[in-house]
């Protein structure tokens, strides 16, 4: 069992969890908020992690294969990531946690919660991928692997300034993380493209309150996709954030955190104290 | 030295100016009647090459006007029946882009039998921009290449009824190919390589290492192979374990040869006309390679000539390509001397693959160039191995 520091430091440290060396940032205290990052990793996420720390203890790992996190042999599907995070919640003894997942992180959150909500009190899915909505010849999600980078950036951000990266100013470790994020995204999301054909029919199992939080100008995963997600969740509610594309946690971090705070309060889950009971596995 | 004649079977009428030529070029630009004429003429040229004493190389690419051979097995199947003596090299079968190595084993065994044992099996990973056309997974490609290789060789050599194969990549219940291959235990295997670390796995298996258009620097790659081969087999690698591909054009005059060479070099001129998203799919290159690419911002490193000068092969004039060892072109004597010089610099290679037809080089030009090479150069190259073996020792 790995003990968890309660410090508010945002510097990621590498810890061995479920047989995998993962980097984890932590901030705040109280109810655990497990932040599951998007395909761009934790790039641009510092402000939102700080803002979320006002609502609980933020635990923000890099998924195996992303950032500086290792990837164990055999971990090559989002299914594997979901089981990894079930193990992580056990090892860190996270109780009544709020899963906040963006993009592929939302997909992972949904996969976790369809398996067990024994350590989960609520789910927030932002720009979540993972389900198939349209007909066989309709693309639900823009194919980032078939589009020029400039077009991917345009679809992903309301304000293109957020997409700009100064590679020359980045350290080797940061550029390596960029390259690893891109490769890991393909590993987990190439085929079936960014979804699990079985996930949508399993979403009915997620009985905890769920907030589907979407960028109103998301050109990668259109708002209709988010609404379909919300409709498939028994306690799902759809909410849009203006002036944001696919990554509202980057473009509107304060609003993003405030909406989550309000959602938790409405669900009776606000407050910094963590209850001690762990519900039995569902 | 054996010499293989190669053409990509291009469709140069659809090399549309200003357009990418791979993955996205709409097939409304393909006239099936023009394509039929091209297939027939390229097959005629291979039949001529067969008569002239060349061996034959065939490849495949997908969704492109640069190469009409989208299924190497189809071209090879035809050549297996209409040619007489030539070795038939498939270089290659893009195994990491093919989802079904059992089907590949069946195709190759049939071709080997129909040709009565003339098949050389070239296995390649597959080019980055065809990951999309094949919808194969861009990560784990080398693993799939080597596993498909292992599987195909087992399928070809296992003679005692069905066997099962179950892995993360491939799953088969009852593998029992009919026919089994003509050549025993299986047709020769060729694998392509460009980077030094990729030489050892090929040498350790005793397969032929083939490499394309690398110029004089290729010596390092061949030496890496030789070193690994010596370690694995306790003897020197024979020259026939190595293969090099270059562009080729011959004519009665140097001036005419250079005109032909520029047409063949159309292959090089168009090689980079790939839509941006397909140039470097995630996972195709290593993380370290991608870090370098991100830092370089898409600039090409260029090729350093023996003289120390750096050129960009895609745009360099043919005289530079000759100096680089990427192109052999000129009169028969000049081409002979260029090849002898290059071969000596490589320490002796047993297999030379020449792109004897490329780009808009016409049938008449190709026939003349091949005939000049076949009658005035090729006979003098047949004895080159011995010369070089001495030079190496």
């Amino acid at each position: 069992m790995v003990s968890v520091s309660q410090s508010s430091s945002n510097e990621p440290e590498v810890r061995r969890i479920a047989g995998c060396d993962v980097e984890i940032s932590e901030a705040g205290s109280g109810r655990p908020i497990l932040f599951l990052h998007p395909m761009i990793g934790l790039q641009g996420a510092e402000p939102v992690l700080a803002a979320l720390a006002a609502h609980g203890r933020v635990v923000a790992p890099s998924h195996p294969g992303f950032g500086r996190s290792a990837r164990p042999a055999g971990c090559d599907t989002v299914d594997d990531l979901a089981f990894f995070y079930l193990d992580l919640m056990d090892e860190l003894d996270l109780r009544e946690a709020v899963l906040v997942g963006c993009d592929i992180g939302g997909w992972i959150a949904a996969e976790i919660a369809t398996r067990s909500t024994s350590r989960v009190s609520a789910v927030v899915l932002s720009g979540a991928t993972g389900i198939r909505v349209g007909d066989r010849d309709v693309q639900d999600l823009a194919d980032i692997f078939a589009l020029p980078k400039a077009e991917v950036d345009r679809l992903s951000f309301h304000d293109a300034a957020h997409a700009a990266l100064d590679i020359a100013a980045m350290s080797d470790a940061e550029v390596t993380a960029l390259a690893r994020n891109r490769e890991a995204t393909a590993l987990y999301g190439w085929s079936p493209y960014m979804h699990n054909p079985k996930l949508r029919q399993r979403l009915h199992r997620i009985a905890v309150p769920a907030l589907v939080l979407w960028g109103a100008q998301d050109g990668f995963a259109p708002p209709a996709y988010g609404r379909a997600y919300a409709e498939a969740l028994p306690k799902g509610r759809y909410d849009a954030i203006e002036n944001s594309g696919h990554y509202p946690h980057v473009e509107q971090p304060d609003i993003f955190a405030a909406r989550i705070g309000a959602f938790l309060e409405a669900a009776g889950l606000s407050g910094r104290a963590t209850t001690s009971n762990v519900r039995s596995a569902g | 030295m054996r010499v293989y004649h190669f053409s990509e079977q291009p469709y140069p009428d659809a090399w549309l100016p200003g357009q990418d030529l791979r993955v996205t070029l709409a097939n409304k630009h393909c006239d099936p009647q023009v394509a039929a004429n091209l297939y027939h003429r390229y097959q005629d040229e291979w039949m001529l090459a067969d008569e002239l004493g060349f061996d034959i190389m065939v490849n495949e690419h997908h969704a492109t006007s640069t190469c009409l051979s989208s299924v190497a097995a189809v071209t090879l199947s035809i050549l297996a029946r209409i040619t007489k003596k030539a070795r038939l090299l498939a270089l290659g079968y893009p195994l990491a882009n093919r989802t079904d190595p059992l089907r590949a084993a069946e195709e190759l065994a049939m071709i080997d039998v129909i040709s009565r044992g003339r098949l050389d099996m070239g296995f390649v990973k597959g080019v980055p921009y065809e990951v999309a056309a094949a919808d194969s997974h861009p990560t784990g490609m080398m693993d799939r290449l080597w596993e498909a290789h292992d599987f195909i060789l087992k399928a070809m050599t296992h003679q005692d009824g069905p066997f099962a194969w179950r892995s993360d990549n491939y799953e088969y219940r009852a593998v029992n190919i009919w026919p089994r291959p003509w050549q025993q235990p299986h047709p020769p295997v060729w694998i392509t390589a460009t980077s030094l670390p990729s030489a050892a796995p090929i040498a350790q298996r005793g397969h032929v290492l083939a490499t394309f258009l690398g110029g004089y620097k290729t010596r390092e790659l061949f030496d890496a192979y030789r070193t690994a081969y010596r370690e694995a087999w306790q003897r020197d690698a024979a020259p026939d374990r190595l293969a090099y591909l270059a562009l080729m054009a011959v004519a009665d005059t140097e001036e005419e040869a250079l005109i032909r060479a520029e047409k063949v070099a159309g292959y090089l001129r168009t090689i980079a006309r790939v839509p941006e998203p397909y140039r470097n799919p995630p996972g195709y290159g290593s993380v370290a390679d991608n870090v370098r690419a991100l830092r370089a911002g898409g600039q090409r490193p260029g090729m350093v000539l023996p003289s120390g000068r750096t050129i960009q092969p895609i745009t360099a004039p043919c005289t530079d390509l000759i100096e680089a060892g990427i192109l052999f072109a000129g009169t028969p004597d000049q081409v002979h001397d260029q090849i002898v010089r290059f071969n000596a610099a490589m320490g002796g290679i047993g297999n030379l693959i020449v792109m004897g037809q490329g780009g808009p080089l016409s049938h008449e030009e190709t026939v003349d160039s091949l005939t000049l090479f076949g009658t005035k150069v090729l006979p003098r190259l047949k004895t080159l191995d011995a010369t070089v073996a001495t030079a190496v020792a």
Side-chain angles (χ1 to χ4, degrees):
Chain A
M1 187 73 68
V2 177
S3 66
V4 182
S5 112
Q6 295 293 315
S7 88
S8 61
S9 160
N10 220 5
E11 278 297 298
E13 52 176 300
V14 175
R15 295 186 222 163
R16 188 160 190 85
I17 293 176
C20 177
D21 290 327
V22 284
E23 64 170 345
I24 303 183
S25 298
E26 282 217 34
S29 62
R31 178 185 298 279
I33 299 174
L34 182 58
F35 182 85
L36 301 171
H37 67 71
M39 56 179 148
I40 59 172
L42 288 167
Q43 171 196 322
E46 294 83 0
V48 80
L49 297 182
L52 283 171
H55 303 284
R57 170 186 154 208
V58 176
V59 179
S62 281
H63 312 318
F66 283 84
R68 287 190 295 155
S69 291
R71 184 174 66 83
C75 179
D76 51 20
T77 65
V78 168
D79 196 46
D80 296 320
L81 295 180
F83 279 99
F84 168 79
Y85 280 114
L86 288 167
D87 288 346
L88 178 141
M89 288 193 289
D90 286 344
E91 289 202 24
L92 300 185
D93 195 23
L94 305 186
R95 301 180 186 196
E96 305 219 332
V98 179
L99 303 181
V100 177
C102 304
D103 174 71
I104 190 177
W107 177 7
I108 298 165
E111 295 278 7
I112 294 168
T114 57
R115 283 165 177 78
S116 170
T117 50
S118 65
R119 290 183 176 275
V120 175
S121 59
V123 175
V124 178
L125 305 179
S126 174
T129 53
I131 59 171
R132 178 112 190 96
V133 173
D135 214 345
R136 65 182 181 185
D137 52 359
V138 173
Q139 284 214 106
D140 288 331
L141 306 165
D143 187 351
I144 60 163
F145 302 123
L147 294 169
K149 183 181 180 303
E151 179 67 2
V152 174
D153 290 346
R154 192 187 67 75
L155 293 171
S156 301
F157 291 96
H158 174 65
D159 177 358
H162 288 286
L165 291 173
D166 185 358
I167 302 282
M170 294 170 77
S171 69
D172 278 347
E174 288 170 318
V175 180
T176 299
L178 272 186
R180 295 190 80 230
N181 291 349
R182 183 167 175 267
E183 178 172 326
T185 298
L187 177 74
Y188 297 120
W190 182 270
S191 180
Y193 180 57
M194 300 285 188
H195 78 289
N196 169 3
K198 300 288 187 187
L199 179 57
R200 197 179 182 197
Q201 72 198 42
R202 295 172 180 169
L203 292 178
H204 71 91
R205 288 176 48 81
I206 303 178
V208 298
L211 174 64
V212 177
L213 196 51
W214 227 257
Q217 287 80 37
D218 191 338
F220 165 76
Y225 186 89
R227 287 200 188 87
Y229 234 125
E231 283 164 16
L233 292 161
K235 293 185 183 169
R237 186 168 70 77
Y238 178 84
D239 194 8
I241 295 182
E242 285 298 327
N243 299 317
S244 174
H246 185 54
Y247 301 113
H249 72 290
V250 173
E251 295 203 77
Q252 303 294 344
D254 292 333
I255 295 173
F256 184 91
R259 296 281 177 91
I260 291 173
F263 159 69
L264 295 177
E265 186 163 347
L269 297 169
S270 63
R272 298 163 71 93
T274 306
T275 55
S276 59
N277 65 308
V278 178
R279 282 183 283 167
S280 59
Chain B
M1 177 185 278
R2 305 188 74 96
V3 181
Y4 289 72
H5 164 52
F6 168 52
S7 167
E8 283 218 306
Q9 307 187 67
Y11 187 124
D13 287 356
W15 291 10
L16 304 179
Q19 287 206 32
D20 291 321
L21 299 184
R22 298 175 190 272
V23 189
T24 54
L25 182 68
N27 66 14
K28 67 185 173 193
H29 300 296
C30 175
D31 179 341
Q33 294 189 22
V34 172
N37 291 339
L38 287 169
Y39 284 128
H40 291 193
R41 85 157 254 224
Y42 295 136
Q43 288 159 12
D44 289 345
E45 289 161 14
W46 273 313
M47 289 171 75
L48 171 66
D50 181 35
E51 289 168 15
L52 288 168
F54 287 89
D55 297 298
I56 290 169
M57 170 179 150
V58 168
N59 73 337
E60 75 173 52
H61 285 297
H62 301 265
T64 177
S65 60
T66 64
C67 173
L68 281 181
S69 181
S70 52
V71 186
V74 171
T75 301
L76 287 166
S77 304
I78 295 164
L79 295 178
R81 186 72 174 102
I82 66 174
T83 60
K84 301 285 189 288
K85 305 183 300 267
R87 300 287 306 167
L88 302 175
L89 167 63
L91 199 61
Y93 258 51
L95 291 184
N97 273 343
R98 295 208 38 184
T99 52
D100 187 351
L102 173 56
R103 179 76 178 193
E106 291 180 320
E107 293 164 4
L108 291 164
M110 269 187 80
I111 293 162
D112 193 43
V113 170
I114 293 171
S115 69
R116 298 188 196 276
R118 291 186 284 130
L119 177 67
D120 292 321
M121 303 191 294
F123 296 148
V124 301
K125 183 165 84 163
V127 291
Y129 38 83
E130 285 166 16
V131 164
D135 206 20
S136 64
H137 206 296
T139 69
M141 291 185 78
M142 287 309 292
D143 286 346
R144 292 204 301 282
L145 168 62
W146 283 116
E147 187 183 337
H149 157 278
D150 295 346
F151 172 84
I152 289 170
L153 293 196
K154 180 165 183 183
M156 287 189 158
T157 53
H158 184 88
Q159 299 182 11
D160 301 321
F163 68 88
W165 186 282
R166 299 187 208 282
S167 76
D168 289 346
N169 292 319
Y170 309 112
E171 171 142 347
Y172 295 108
R173 173 160 279 110
V175 180
N176 181 28
I177 63 168
W178 279 75
R180 63 186 176 90
W182 179 286
Q183 296 175 87
Q184 294 299 312
H186 56 74
V189 175
W190 297 38
I191 308 267
T192 49
T194 47
S195 66
L196 299 185
S198 49
I202 304 170
Q204 285 152 7
R205 290 168 172 86
H207 296 334
V208 177
L209 180 151
T211 192
F212 297 174
L213 304 168
Y216 278 85
K217 201 174 187 309
T218 304
R219 177 65 188 255
E220 295 172 18
L221 179 65
F222 288 151
D223 282 350
Y225 179 96
R226 291 182 176 110
T227 301
Y229 190 98
R230 206 173 293 121
E231 281 172 15
W233 300 91
Q234 278 78 53
R235 62 172 191 268
D236 288 337
D240 76 353
R241 296 299 87 191
L242 301 171
Y244 180 76
L245 182 145
L247 313 182
M248 181 277 278
V250 191
D252 287 323
T253 66
E254 182 179 7
E255 187 186 13
E256 179 61 24
L258 287 174
I259 291 170
R260 290 178 183 178
E262 184 53 43
K263 293 179 182 173
V264 175
Y267 163 78
L268 270 184
R269 311 303 185 212
T270 54
I271 204 164
R273 289 170 64 179
V274 179
E276 181 208 300
Y278 302 108
R279 286 175 202 160
N280 178 27
Y284 185 90
S286 67
V287 168
D289 286 346
N290 278 295
V291 168
R292 275 190 291 275
L294 282 164
R295 289 255 189 246
Q299 288 188 343
R300 293 174 184 276
M303 177 181 283
V304 182
L305 304 185
S307 65
R309 202 156 54 87
T310 299
I311 64 163
Q312 293 292 342
I314 288 177
T315 51
C318 283
T319 46
D320 280 357
L321 299 180
I322 293 171
E323 188 183 338
I326 295 173
L327 165 70
F328 303 128
T331 64
D333 283 344
Q334 287 175 317
V335 167
H336 170 264
D337 293 349
Q338 290 163 11
I339 292 173
V340 167
R341 189 183 319 126
F342 186 79
N343 185 58
M346 294 302 107
I349 46 178
N351 305 287
L352 176 66
I353 304 162
V354 293
M355 184 179 273
Q357 194 287 328
L361 192 72
S362 71
H363 178 63
E364 291 69 26
E365 290 167 317
T366 305
V367 165
D368 189 56
S369 180
L370 283 178
T371 304
L372 285 169
F373 191 104
T375 55
K376 298 187 173 175
V377 183
L378 190 53
R380 298 153 74 189
L381 297 179
K382 293 277 183 191
T383 56
L384 203 54
D385 291 349
T387 319
V388 170
T390 317
V392 173

